[in-house]
């Protein structure tokens, strides 16, 4: 049974269609990337999963139940817009959220202290949030999402506002959660994180699903390209859809960018060059990056490298 | 609905407010102000006798008559006060024949004479102390209002031309020699009945009335004897007066007095409800605005339902209100215990309404329901506003709408009025708790209590439904200033 199952989910705000007929499922131990530009419907979908807002139509099942039958003890959530009670101490904040999720205070405190130690904040456990830097407060908030060892961890734009060190720390926590069997969903429009972390990902554009699958499957949606240095005869090799000369290197040699015909493997073209006597000084496959896929499916305006 | 979550939110709200300096300042300032009030009042009270110099240039007995009459009036007033004390504590057995044990008449000259003959105030207090229970406070006789020192030599020796200047000097003097009023009876009195009066402020009407009464009596006596009547006959005519028999309820039992005393606890409750609501409401509002401006809500709503958050906030506000009341009532109880004499005497009849379990239940019900009915407005405003200044914009018209009529209402109850305004306020749910609480002491029909109570319960239920929707719908619409149309849509909206 998937940890989270979304079926034909639609959400309208008046005339605005925020989420359009969206279906996906996330399984135990899986890291699921929720990719899309601003206003793609990522936050709205996560809020519907948490029952903060209700869908216009469609079905959501969290651990097999409707989201209104809350299982907060098994869910961790880090919102995009972050904030905590300024007058509370770090550990009291963590314990407060632990208790709201049904944990005993003592257990919440001991795991909270463990998390703070892992986040290099052990000596600031009793410091007030208002006396902490923004980065420290963000780590405390991450601890509030993790304190209950959630089986479904949802992170909305978790990397925004974090420095590179803390981004690494967050990546570690995502991997750690996945290793202990939690389903992790995180939304982002930063492709590097998705490429490094995601088992599967979903691309959203204006509330509509444009792609769902693994990173390799995503890359495969765009034809592979080959960078080659060869004579002009390479353009006639079977399987080459288009050969674009980049630079004339003299003595009959050119640098080419080659686009393959659909369903043509790179290896097949290399073999035909060899058997057909087409000399090669360079033959390098360039697979589409996730960035290319995102730009292709979602649009250039929505991407952040 | 998760009760544990509600309690957690309530506890956090309470702790947040209890951590505020303003909470502790208010908690302590109110009893301190209430304690200091009487002390400051006493300090400011002018309990020194007014010194009056009577300069009698006629060489007759007018000055002595004036002084005698004022002393008589003072003694009658003290006798009357002593009589009320004796009646309040049932101490007549100390001397059943003494004038102060007779409560059925307006004291005459004969009564005052008898009082003086029996040893005056000192003898009366000694007799009463012998029989009064130990816990009964002693009688404190009122201080005399006027003092008549002899006219200073400078004034006696002053010529007519010098008189005004010397009187001015005398009136300007300070300290023990300070004189407030100078009365001069001229050399040609009674042929010229003009009496001159200098005063450094507007003289009290009662003073002028008694002065005029004494001198009118003197003039009439002279006129009557001048027409051939013997001084005894003239005096008999002068002193002819009806004997006024007086029937009054015991102290604290008079209609107006009783109403006021019985209304002390209910009125105090209405005031306390108002004060604690305003204070805890504004603190709670501050907390709600902090949650919105700190972008905390989404984290919270991932753990608890909006309704649980709302109920937790209401419960927290209620706990803050009750803790303030507990402290204030506790302070009042300590004061009453420490001064178990005079204050306890006053409080005892004031606590009379609390002898009825029905009234106690009604007080608790209307207090709690009133708290919830108004606090929920603060919660809803907290969900709408992104900043305190924005919250004030919503709050001011609502507070004015609630508080202004209550000010008039409490005045009306104190004056014993139960007119159309009091009736209307009793039946409009936002004002019902204040109106019913304030009226409980003065007397309110049972059907009015039950009817307005049911209406109030219905109103609170509607508030919870509609303001709950507004709360839920407004929580996540940060930065969006709702117009009237959007507000109505949020009231109407089922969760979305």
């Amino acid at each position: 049974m998937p940890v989270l199952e979304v079926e034909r989910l639609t959400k309208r705000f008046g005339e605005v269609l925020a989420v359009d007929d969206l279906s996906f499922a996330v399984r135990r131990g899986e890291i699921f990337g929720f990719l899309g530009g601003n206003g793609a419907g990522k936050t709205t979908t996560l809020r519907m999963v948490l029952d903060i807002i209700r869908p216009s139509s469609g079905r959501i099942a969290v651990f097999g139940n409707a989201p209104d039958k809350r299982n907060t003890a098994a869910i961790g959530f880090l919102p995009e817009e972050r904030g905590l009670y300024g007058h509370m101490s770090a550990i009291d904040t963590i314990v407060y959220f632990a208790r709201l999720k049904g944990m005993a205070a003592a257990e919440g405190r001991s795991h909270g202290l463990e998390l703070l130690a892992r986040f290099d904040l052990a000596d600031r456990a009793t410091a007030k949030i208002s006396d902490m830097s923004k980065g420290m407060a963000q780590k405390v908030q991450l601890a509030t999402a993790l304190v209950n060892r959630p089986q479904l961890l949802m992170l909305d734009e978790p990397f925004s506002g974090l420095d590179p060190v803390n981004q690494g720390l967050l990546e570690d926590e995502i991997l750690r959660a996945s290793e202990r069997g939690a389903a992790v969903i995180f939304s982002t429009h930063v492709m590097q994180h998705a490429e490094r972390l995601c088992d599967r990902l979903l691309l959203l554009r204006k509330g509509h699903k444009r792609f769902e699958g693994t990173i390799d499957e995503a890359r495969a949606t765009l034809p592979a390209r080959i960078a080659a240095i060869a004579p002009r005869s390479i353009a006639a090799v079977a399987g080459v859809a288009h050969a674009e000369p980049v630079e004339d290197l003299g003595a009959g040699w050119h640098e080419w960018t080659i686009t393959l015909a659909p369903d043509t493997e790179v290896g097949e073209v290399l073999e035909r060059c060899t058997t057909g006597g087409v000399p090669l000084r360079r033959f390098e496959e360039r697979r589409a990056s996730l960035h290319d896929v995102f730009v292709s499916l979602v649009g250039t305006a929505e991407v952040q490298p | 609905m998760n009760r544990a979550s509600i309690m957690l939110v309530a506890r956090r709200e309470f702790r947040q407010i209890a951590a505020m300096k303003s909470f502790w300042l208010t908690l302590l300032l109110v009893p301190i102000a209430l304690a200091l009030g009487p002390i400051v009042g006493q300090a400011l009270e002018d309990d020194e006798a007014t010194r009056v110099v009577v300069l009698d240039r006629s060489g007759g007995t007018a000055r002595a008559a004036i002084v005698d009459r004022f002393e008589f009036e003072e003694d009658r007033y003290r006798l009357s006060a002593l009589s009320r004390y004796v009646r309040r504590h049932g101490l007549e057995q100390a001397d059943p024949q003494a004038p102060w044990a007779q409560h059925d008449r307006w004291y005459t000259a004969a009564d005052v004479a008898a009082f003086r003959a029996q040893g005056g105030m000192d003898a009366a207090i000694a007799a009463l102390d012998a029989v009064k229970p130990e816990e009964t406070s002693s009688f404190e006789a009122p201080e005399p209002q006027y003092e008549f020192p002899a006219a200073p030599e400078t004034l006696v020796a002053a010529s007519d031309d010098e008189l005004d200047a010397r009187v001015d000097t005398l009136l300007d003097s300070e300290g023990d020699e300070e004189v407030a009023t100078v009365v001069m009876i001229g050399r040609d009195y009674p042929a010229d009945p003009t009496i001159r009066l200098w005063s450094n402020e507007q003289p009290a009407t009662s003073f002028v009335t008694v002065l005029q009464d004494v001198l009118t009596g003197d003039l009439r006596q002279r006129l009557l004897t001048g027409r051939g009547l013997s001084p005894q006959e003239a005096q008999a005519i002068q002193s002819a007066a009806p004997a006024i028999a007086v029937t009054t309820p015991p102290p604290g039992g008079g209609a107006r007095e009783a109403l006021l005393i019985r209304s002390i606890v209910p009125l105090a409750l209405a005031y306390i409800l108002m004060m604690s609501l305003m204070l805890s409401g504004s603190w709670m509002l501050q907390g709600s605005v902090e949650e919105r401006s700190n972008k905390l809500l989404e984290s919270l709503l991932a753990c608890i339902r909006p309704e649980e958050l709302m109920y937790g906030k209401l419960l927290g506000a209620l706990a803050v209100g009750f803790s303030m009341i507990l402290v204030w009532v506790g302070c009042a109880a300590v004061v009453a215990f420490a001064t178990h004499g005079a204050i306890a005497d006053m409080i005892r009849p004031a606590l009379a309404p609390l002898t009825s379990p029905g009234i106690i239940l009604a007080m608790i019900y209307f207090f709690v329901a009133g708290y919830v009915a108004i606090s929920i407005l603060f919660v809803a405003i907290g969900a709408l506003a992104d900043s305190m200044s924005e919250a004030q914009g919503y709050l001011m018209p609502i507070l004015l709408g609630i508080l202004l009529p209550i000010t008039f209402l409490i005045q009306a109850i104190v004056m014993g009025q139960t007119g159309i305004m009091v009736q209307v306020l009793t039946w409009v749910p936002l004002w019902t708790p204040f109106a019913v609480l304030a009226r409980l002491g003065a007397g309110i029909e049972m059907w009015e209590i039950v009817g307005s109570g049911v209406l109030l319960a219905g109103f609170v239920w509607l508030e919870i439904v509609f303001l709950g929707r507004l709360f839920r719908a407004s929580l996540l619409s940060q930065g969006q200033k709702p117009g009237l149309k959007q507000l109505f849509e949020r009231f109407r909206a089922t969760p979305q």
Side-chain angles (χ1 to χ4, degrees):
Chain A
M1 181 183 68
V3 172
L4 172 65
E5 203 172 1
V6 170
E7 247 180 57
R8 310 208 63 185
L9 192 68
T10 299
K11 178 65 187 175
R12 287 181 181 279
F13 293 107
E15 297 299 310
V16 179
L17 183 62
V19 177
D20 180 16
D21 200 26
L22 180 65
S23 299
F24 65 91
V26 188
R27 284 177 287 275
R28 237 180 137 260
E30 190 172 38
I31 301 176
F32 191 81
F34 221 50
L35 274 57
N38 296 324
K42 306 185 296 284
T43 300
T44 303
T45 305
L46 293 182
R47 283 179 178 180
M48 284 190 281
V49 171
L50 287 164
D51 194 41
I52 293 174
I53 52 175
R54 300 268 164 88
S56 305
S57 65
R59 192 182 76 91
I60 300 170
V62 184
F63 303 107
N65 293 315
D68 62 329
K69 289 184 179 162
R70 291 196 168 192
N71 190 354
T72 51
I75 296 175
F77 176 60
L78 183 73
E80 180 182 6
E81 291 192 321
R82 281 158 230 164
L84 296 167
Y85 295 106
H87 66 280
M88 282 173 92
S89 71
I91 187 64
D92 284 349
T93 303
I94 296 169
V95 172
Y96 178 61
F97 278 92
R99 296 199 66 195
L100 285 178
K101 294 173 185 188
M103 276 180 104
E107 195 193 347
R109 181 169 292 273
S110 79
H111 192 215
L113 288 171
E114 193 184 303
L115 285 167
L116 287 176
R118 215 152 74 203
F119 298 165
D120 204 20
L121 285 176
D123 56 336
R124 305 302 304 268
T126 54
K128 280 187 178 178
I129 299 292
S130 55
D131 295 336
M132 290 182 159
S133 69
K134 193 180 170 193
M136 287 177 183
Q138 283 186 328
K139 286 196 273 189
V140 174
Q141 186 141 21
L142 178 62
T144 66
L146 294 170
V147 66
N148 55 327
R149 299 181 184 89
Q151 288 307 301
L152 172 60
L153 178 62
M154 293 192 284
L155 312 165
D156 194 1
E157 300 287 355
F159 297 99
S160 68
L162 289 182
D163 62 41
V165 176
N166 285 328
Q167 287 187 8
L169 184 145
L170 178 58
E171 285 189 10
D172 289 346
E173 287 304 322
I174 290 172
L175 291 169
R176 190 191 297 263
S178 163
E179 278 162 18
R180 66 172 167 75
V184 183
I185 304 175
F186 72 89
S187 73
T188 186
H189 48 236
V190 182
M191 297 304 116
Q192 293 161 350
H193 301 300
E195 245 167 347
R196 273 204 295 270
L197 293 168
C198 290
D199 298 317
R200 285 194 309 129
L201 51 88
L202 186 149
L203 275 171
L204 270 178
R205 184 170 189 271
K206 292 183 178 171
H208 192 74
K209 182 164 77 175
R210 300 299 307 270
F211 171 80
E212 184 188 356
T214 62
I215 291 176
D216 282 342
E217 286 166 348
R219 284 174 165 169
T221 58
L222 291 182
R225 286 166 190 268
I226 293 166
I229 295 177
R232 194 172 293 276
S233 55
I234 196 167
V237 175
V240 173
H242 180 70
E244 176 83 32
V246 179
E247 195 180 348
D248 184 352
L249 301 174
W253 292 94
H254 285 81
E255 184 179 347
W256 302 90
T257 296
I258 294 167
T259 308
L260 299 185
D263 302 324
T264 305
E265 290 292 323
V266 177
E268 289 173 29
V269 176
L270 179 60
E271 189 182 342
R272 284 173 196 149
C273 287
T274 311
T275 54
V278 178
L280 295 168
R281 288 187 177 174
R282 182 176 168 198
F283 192 90
E284 184 184 337
E285 181 186 5
R286 284 188 182 164
R287 297 191 66 196
S289 67
L290 199 53
H291 178 271
D292 298 329
V293 178
F294 190 94
V295 169
S296 158
L297 294 176
V298 175
T300 44
E302 318 242 2
V303 74
Q304 184 178 318
Chain B
M1 199 71 64
N2 187 335
R3 280 190 202 149
S5 297
I6 294 172
M7 292 306 293
L8 273 171
V9 174
R11 204 174 307 157
R12 200 210 64 78
E13 289 283 329
F14 182 85
R15 278 186 185 164
Q16 175 168 358
I17 293 173
M20 291 178 178
K21 286 187 189 110
S22 56
F23 171 76
W24 289 101
L25 274 176
T26 313
L27 203 63
L28 299 176
L29 272 182
V30 170
I32 289 171
L34 290 178
L36 283 180
I39 296 169
V40 172
Q42 214 165 19
L44 294 176
E45 202 173 90
D46 184 12
D47 55 356
E48 282 189 12
T50 304
R51 286 162 61 86
V52 180
V53 166
V54 180
L55 180 62
D56 187 355
R57 288 187 159 178
S58 70
T61 55
R63 182 184 183 280
I66 290 169
V67 173
D68 283 351
R69 176 61 185 276
F70 273 97
E71 282 176 355
F72 166 77
E73 292 296 342
E74 301 275 11
D75 275 353
R76 175 153 63 185
Y77 177 65
R78 295 162 83 193
L79 182 57
S80 179
L82 183 62
S83 163
R84 280 175 64 79
Y85 168 81
V86 168
R87 196 175 181 192
R88 182 193 295 272
H89 297 289
L91 300 173
E92 289 83 355
Q93 78 274 21
D95 183 356
Q97 300 309 313
W100 38 262
Q102 320 296 318
H103 316 300
D104 58 349
R105 60 178 180 266
W106 188 248
Y107 291 119
T108 62
D111 292 319
V112 174
F115 175 59
R116 287 172 175 172
Q118 286 168 8
M121 189 55 77
D122 291 343
I125 288 177
L128 289 168
D129 281 349
V131 298
K132 79 171 179 63
E134 202 176 323
E135 67 273 13
T136 303
S137 56
S138 292
F139 176 70
E140 285 184 19
E143 293 295 321
Q145 212 177 342
Y146 295 103
E147 211 175 274
F148 294 90
E153 200 50 44
T154 51
L155 211 59
V156 174
S159 67
D160 288 351
D161 292 340
E162 294 166 339
L163 190 62
D164 278 311
R166 294 201 177 174
V167 167
D168 284 346
T169 309
L170 186 63
L171 291 178
D172 287 343
S173 60
E174 288 183 355
D176 293 345
E177 297 305 309
E178 186 180 338
V179 169
T181 305
V182 174
V183 176
M184 191 194 76
I185 298 151
R187 284 188 191 86
D188 299 330
Y189 178 86
D192 175 9
T194 308
I195 306 295
R196 285 200 68 185
L197 190 149
W198 294 264
S199 180
N200 52 14
E201 60 185 12
Q202 187 68 26
T205 308
S206 58
F207 176 80
V208 177
T209 305
V210 172
L211 181 68
Q212 197 174 32
D213 198 30
V214 174
L215 294 173
T216 305
D218 184 54
L219 286 172
R220 283 179 185 163
Q221 179 81 6
R222 286 167 197 265
L223 280 172
L224 288 169
T225 50
R227 296 205 174 193
L229 266 71
S230 69
Q232 291 76 23
E233 285 171 324
Q235 184 61 48
I237 292 171
Q238 288 267 58
S239 56
I244 299 173
V246 177
T247 305
T248 58
R256 175 80 192 282
E257 198 177 357
L259 182 143
L260 273 177
I261 290 177
R262 282 178 60 84
S263 292
I264 286 176
V265 171
L267 278 174
L269 264 181
Y271 262 120
I272 287 176
L273 174 63
M274 198 163 74
M275 277 175 62
S276 51
L277 257 176
M278 296 306 116
L279 292 166
S280 64
S282 59
W283 288 322
M284 185 174 61
L285 196 59
Q286 225 171 306
S288 298
V289 169
E290 186 198 350
E291 274 167 3
R292 272 177 79 83
S293 57
N294 278 4
K295 295 161 182 170
L296 260 158
L297 285 168
E298 213 171 344
S299 298
L300 283 173
L301 294 179
C303 305
I304 54 171
R305 295 173 194 286
E307 293 80 8
E308 290 163 356
L309 183 62
M310 187 173 88
Y311 294 144
K313 283 178 174 296
L314 281 177
L315 204 60
L318 203 61
V320 168
F322 272 117
S323 59
M324 285 199 292
I325 290 158
L326 270 180
V327 171
W328 293 342
V329 170
C331 288
V334 168
V335 170
F337 183 76
T339 58
H340 54 86
I343 293 178
D345 288 344
M346 193 189 77
I347 285 177
R348 201 174 302 122
L351 296 178
L354 298 183
T355 52
S356 156
I359 295 288
I360 295 173
L361 273 181
M363 277 183 182
I364 294 171
Y365 170 77
F366 282 98
F367 193 90
V368 173
Y371 220 99
V372 174
I374 310 284
S375 293
I376 203 168
L377 293 175
F378 285 93
V379 172
I381 290 170
L384 282 171
D386 287 329
S387 66
M388 268 316 274
S389 58
E390 198 184 334
Q392 298 291 352
Y394 289 111
L395 200 58
M396 282 311 289
I398 291 177
L399 283 189
L400 275 179
I402 295 172
L403 295 186
L404 265 186
I406 292 168
T407 314
F408 297 131
L409 167 89
I410 290 177
Q411 275 175 5
I413 302 279
V414 168
M415 292 167 75
Q417 295 167 354
T418 53
I420 186 79
M421 185 188 77
V422 174
Q423 291 296 329
V424 168
L425 294 182
T426 303
W427 291 96
V428 178
L430 266 182
W431 297 311
T432 297
F434 304 98
V436 174
L437 279 176
R439 288 181 67 193
L440 277 175
I444 175 170
E445 297 286 341
M446 181 54 79
W447 68 268
E448 282 187 284
I449 297 179
V450 173
S452 59
V454 170
L455 198 64
L456 179 61
F459 177 73
V460 170
W461 180 78
L462 284 176
E463 271 190 311
I464 288 173
V465 171
F466 286 100
L467 291 179
R469 286 178 186 173
L470 176 71
F471 183 79
R472 180 174 181 129
S474 303
L475 279 183
L476 289 172
S477 22
Q478 204 160 352
Q480 299 171 17
K481 300 257 182 308
L484 266 182
K485 192 181 165 208
Q486 284 82 21
L487 272 182
F488 278 115
E489 275 170 5
R490 289 181 191 178
F491 278 125
R492 210 158 37 87
T494 47
Q496 50 174 261

